[in-house]
Structure formats: structure tokens, C-alpha cells
Amino acid sequence: MLHIILLCALAATSLGAELKEAFSWKELDYNWPNAEFKENALKTGAYDPENNLPLGLAVWKDKLFITVPRWKAGVASSLNYVKIGSDKSPKLTPYPSWDSNYLPSEKETTSQDPQVTAKGRDNAPKAEVTTETLKDNSTVVSVFRLWVDKCDRLWVMDTGLADILGSPKVYAKPSLVIFDLMTDKLIRRYFFKDSDVKENSFLANVVVDVNPQYCDNAYAYVPDLGGYGLVVYSFKDDDSWRIKHHYFHFDPLAGQYKVGGVDFQWTDGVFGIALSKIESDGLRRVFFHALSSTKEFEVSNKVLQNETWATSAHNFHDFKLVGERGPNSQASANYFDERTGVLFYTQVNRDGIACWNSAKPMNPDNTDLIASSKDVLEFPNDLKIADDTLWVLSDKLPKFIYKSLSSNEVNYRILNIRVDDAIRGTICG
């Protein structure tokens, strides 16, 4: 039986007995340099409060990073953070600075011949055939997902695309932007090669595989939800390669969604990636799934990190079906807890969070819905684990895209719960 720890969401600061609401917002605001700066941003359209929607999160020490993709015009800053333990509705602080999140106007840029196209959502218009010149390599255009690795580095997957649902403009090729969290300085920016992207590519997520004893030997796994592929980046070699496989495609029977009263269809391919702990042989299992799918797959990181084998036509059987999560179990994000061996994942069609203990076969009987709320968890978009705490971001994305959000209601929430409390009493415990 499904175990529900959320019976209702009547209280504003907690869900059920244990899942806590750490932050919530009706609309996002920022720590502006001064009042004149904000006033000018409102006047010019550089900041339109209703167009700023949080989507991804990551935790490092007392900082909780929050991404605000440039779905629409008027996003003030795409890469931001708040301090854990601050006000319930804190203003976002751009990272590493306001200057790095500033997009130059058309008068300040030079058009170039772009080598990339963008997909956005299925009904979004194609991007303009212009590429703007970035101020410098620390410039952050538009971020969906990001990752904090065990070497105190922040990996940012920058799509390079702004105003996705309006008049899309490509500012730069998709790239990884890597910061040193100890100094807040840029370590490296890597622009993906032409061979890494396809016509409908959309690179928006990143997961980093690294042993903290060998920080230079890190690999980033970047799923292509629009082009149905996976791009691997080697930090040591400063090089990347693209992998294709049938399992990266969406399931045509799992593309139907109904969230917050909105009916829609998505054809998103591989998006969620999670890493097991390092096994006795020094390898990891890499779990992955398409967003529009109810199945989970896996492959050894040994396969992905060997460019010759990963890109060959003979690796098909190295990719394995893990199992089936069950009906309406489409997941926008997943995260593997190394200590407990439990895989947590969002449940966008079920307004919830679910779990699976990897010591058991994956099937509907061995998965559990640990949290569900049509109000508080309307479209749980991202989740991460840090210091044995599960963090979840929900943001009502379908209403934001297809309808509109009310500034009189709480629209965005970040919740947390201790991992042990989350699985206690469930089949995952």
C-alpha cells in the first residue's frame, strides 16, 4: 500500500508531521544594489516579477542555490542563492554577482553565426538566428539545473537561451560554467561542441561524477531531453562526447500530464540522472529516465567514461532496464542517497515525492509515495540531498507556462525533511 505522510497542507510552515516548508514565495524578488537599480529594471522590462519562476536547487554549506530560467522576458538573475535559516520569503542574491547575471542589450552586442538551435517547450517558437556576445565567461544566461560536487565546485548548465516562450534569443552555445565555491571565482567555462548538439537539442541538467580524492578526474553527465542523447564531459581532458541509445527517448504512452487542472502533453526524453555510491570495484551505477516515461534504466559509469566504447554501435546491451515505477509516475528529477541506498524522485502527475530501495527489484509494489499535496507539491520540479536532508522545490510550472499564476497566492516552495524521517514507515525504510 502507498504510504502517505502528507494528509493535508493546512499549516503554512509544515506538511504533515515532519516535512517542513523552509521557504515560500508569491513572487520572487532580489537583493538589488539599490532602489534606483530595481526601479530602472522594472521600467525597462529587465525585471518582470511574474515571469521569475524558480526551477532548480542545490545546497552547499549555508547557501541554497536557486535557478530562475529565462522562460520569459524580465528575469532579473538566473543563478542565485539564499542563506539557509533566513526569512521565509527571502530575496534572492545573484551568484556570483549581479554583473555575471547581466544580459547585454542588442546595442551592446555583436551578431555571429550560431552553431546551435533551441527547442524549449514543444509549442515554443524557434530561437532567432543570432548569437549575442557574452560580456565574459562568467556570464550566466539561463540555468535550469545545477550541481554541487564533493570538491566544493558549482557546476552550472547554462542553456545560453533567453525568453524561451516569447521571442527566443541564443546568447551563446550551451555550456558548463564551473565555479570554485570557496572563492566564488570562475574555474572554467566549456562550450559544447557542434557534434554534441542536434537540431532539437535542449541541454538543461547536469550531474557530476567525481571521487573527492581525485577532483581533476571529474565527469559531467548532461542529458539532452529534446535531442534524446547524453553528453559526457571530462574535466581532466576538457573534452566531451555524445552518446545515443533507444532508452534516452520518451515513452509515447507516458506523455500525458494533468497538473494543477492543466492538461498537456510533453515529449521530453532523458532528463533525470542519479549516481549510486562507489561500489567495491570503484564503479558507480548511473540511473536515468526520460521525463515522459515511467521506467528507470541504468548503465555503468565505466561505459559512459570510455569515449571509444560509449560512442560505438556495440554498447547497446550495456544499458539495462531497472524496472517500472507504476502508472502516472513521471519524474522530473531523482537523487540517490548513498547512505541508505534509496532513490528519491519527484512525481509530477501525483503532486508528490516517491522512493525506491535499490536493494529490492523496482516495481510498483516496491516503490512508495512518501509525500503528496495538490497545493504544496503542485509540480515538484527538483530535489537534492545534502547532509542527510532531502530538499524539494515545487513551482506550479504548468500553470506558469500555459495559464498564469496569481500574485495573491503562494506559488513557489522549498521543503525539506531528514532522509531517515522521509522513509520511516515506508517500504523504502
Side-chain angles (χ1 to χ4, degrees):
M1 294 291 292
L2 295 178
H3 177 78
I4 310 296
I5 66 170
L6 299 182
L7 300 178
C8 61
L10 299 178
T13 57
S14 68
L15 297 176
E18 296 166 340
L19 189 58
K20 304 294 183 180
E21 183 178 282
F23 303 108
S24 63
W25 298 267
K26 295 179 179 179
E27 290 184 335
L28 297 183
D29 199 358
Y30 298 82
N31 282 315
W32 302 91
N34 52 60
E36 183 180 359
F37 194 103
K38 178 179 180 179
E39 182 180 349
N40 184 63
L42 287 167
K43 185 182 301 182
T44 61
Y47 172 50
D48 185 344
E50 68 180 29
N51 288 351
N52 288 248
L53 174 137
L55 189 140
L57 81 165
V59 178
W60 182 77
K61 298 185 182 297
D62 66 343
K63 286 182 178 178
L64 191 149
F65 290 93
I66 300 172
T67 68
V68 185
R70 298 185 191 273
W71 284 110
K72 305 175 183 179
V75 172
S77 172
S78 189
L79 178 59
N80 315 275
Y81 71 91
V82 297
K83 287 294 187 73
I84 295 174
S86 58
D87 295 340
K88 285 293 182 180
S89 301
K91 294 181 179 179
L92 275 57
T93 300
Y95 185 88
S97 66
W98 270 107
D99 197 43
S100 293
N101 281 272
Y102 170 75
L103 292 188
S105 67
E106 294 182 13
K107 294 181 180 179
E108 300 170 303
T109 57
T110 303
S111 294
Q112 301 173 346
D113 181 22
Q115 298 295 318
V116 64
T117 59
K119 183 188 181 203
R121 285 259 60 90
D122 295 341
N123 62 343
K126 290 290 184 180
E128 293 180 10
V129 187
T130 58
T131 300
E132 307 296 348
T133 303
L134 300 179
K135 180 178 180 294
D136 56 46
N137 276 341
S138 67
T139 301
V140 177
V141 180
S142 183
V143 184
F144 285 70
R145 296 271 199 266
L146 69 175
W147 187 271
V148 171
D149 74 8
K150 294 182 179 180
C151 300
D152 296 312
R153 297 176 297 202
L154 179 67
W155 297 65
V156 177
M157 181 57 237
D158 191 350
T159 64
L161 175 66
D163 198 8
I164 298 170
L165 299 176
S167 300
K169 178 175 291 185
V170 177
Y171 278 81
K173 294 181 182 181
S175 59
L176 285 173
V177 192
I178 309 169
F179 294 100
D180 182 343
L181 287 168
M182 301 299 291
T183 64
D184 299 329
K185 300 297 184 183
L186 177 72
I187 296 175
R188 181 184 301 173
R189 188 181 197 120
Y190 179 80
F191 291 94
F192 287 102
K193 299 182 295 188
D194 296 348
S195 57
D196 294 331
V197 296
K198 302 300 179 183
E199 181 181 359
N200 288 325
S201 286
F202 197 65
L203 308 181
N205 192 13
V206 58
V207 172
V208 180
D209 186 355
V210 63
N211 184 325
Q213 298 180 27
Y214 309 99
C215 290
D216 284 344
N217 194 31
Y219 290 86
Y221 307 136
V222 179
D224 183 353
L225 67 89
Y228 309 132
L230 179 71
V231 180
V232 178
Y233 168 71
S234 167
F235 183 82
K236 181 179 180 180
D237 297 330
D238 196 30
D239 194 14
S240 57
W241 50 92
R242 181 183 177 89
I243 304 171
K244 61 181 181 178
H245 198 278
H246 292 178
Y247 296 166
F248 296 153
H249 290 247
F250 79 104
D251 181 348
L253 299 179
Q256 175 66 34
Y257 299 80
K258 185 172 184 179
V259 181
V262 182
D263 287 288
F264 55 99
Q265 296 79 39
W266 284 353
T267 60
D268 291 1
V270 60
F271 191 45
I273 296 180
L275 305 176
S276 78
K277 67 179 181 180
I278 299 177
E279 306 289 350
S280 58
D281 58 3
L283 304 179
R284 294 184 195 266
R285 301 164 70 186
V286 180
F287 298 101
F288 66 91
H289 63 260
L291 173 55
S292 293
S293 172
T294 59
K295 294 177 173 59
E296 196 75 31
F297 302 90
E298 70 171 273
V299 64
S300 170
N301 64 349
K302 180 181 179 179
V303 173
L304 301 182
Q305 293 173 12
N306 184 328
E307 179 182 2
T308 301
W309 184 248
T311 57
S312 76
H314 305 290
N315 65 13
F316 185 88
H317 296 292
D318 290 322
F319 294 76
K320 310 291 185 181
L321 172 66
V322 176
E324 166 73 38
R325 296 187 299 267
N328 289 320
S329 61
Q330 293 89 337
S332 59
N334 57 346
Y335 197 99
F336 188 90
D337 181 53
E338 295 186 17
R339 182 176 61 85
T340 62
V342 172
L343 181 69
F344 292 90
Y345 47 92
T346 61
Q347 294 285 264
V348 297
N349 255 337
R350 302 165 75 189
D351 305 305
I353 306 298
C355 64
W356 165 64
N357 189 323
S358 61
K360 303 175 182 179
M362 175 177 272
N363 56 53
D365 291 336
N366 285 333
T367 62
D368 229 340
L369 190 65
I370 65 172
S372 181
S373 168
K374 289 186 177 181
D375 177 31
V376 179
L377 286 172
E378 183 180 319
F379 207 87
N381 207 319
D382 197 11
L383 55 77
K384 296 289 196 309
I385 293 175
D387 298 324
D388 293 326
T389 298
L390 175 67
W391 293 83
V392 181
L393 183 153
S394 64
D395 60 12
K396 301 183 180 180
L397 179 62
K399 283 183 181 175
F400 174 82
I401 293 177
Y402 300 112
K403 292 186 177 180
S404 62
L405 299 177
S406 171
S407 60
N408 296 319
E409 300 176 356
V410 173
N411 293 303
Y412 318 125
R413 292 177 171 88
I414 293 178
L415 315 148
N416 63 29
I417 185 172
R418 300 290 292 178
V419 169
D420 289 342
D421 293 336
I423 62 176
R424 184 177 291 115
T426 74
I427 200 168
C428 304

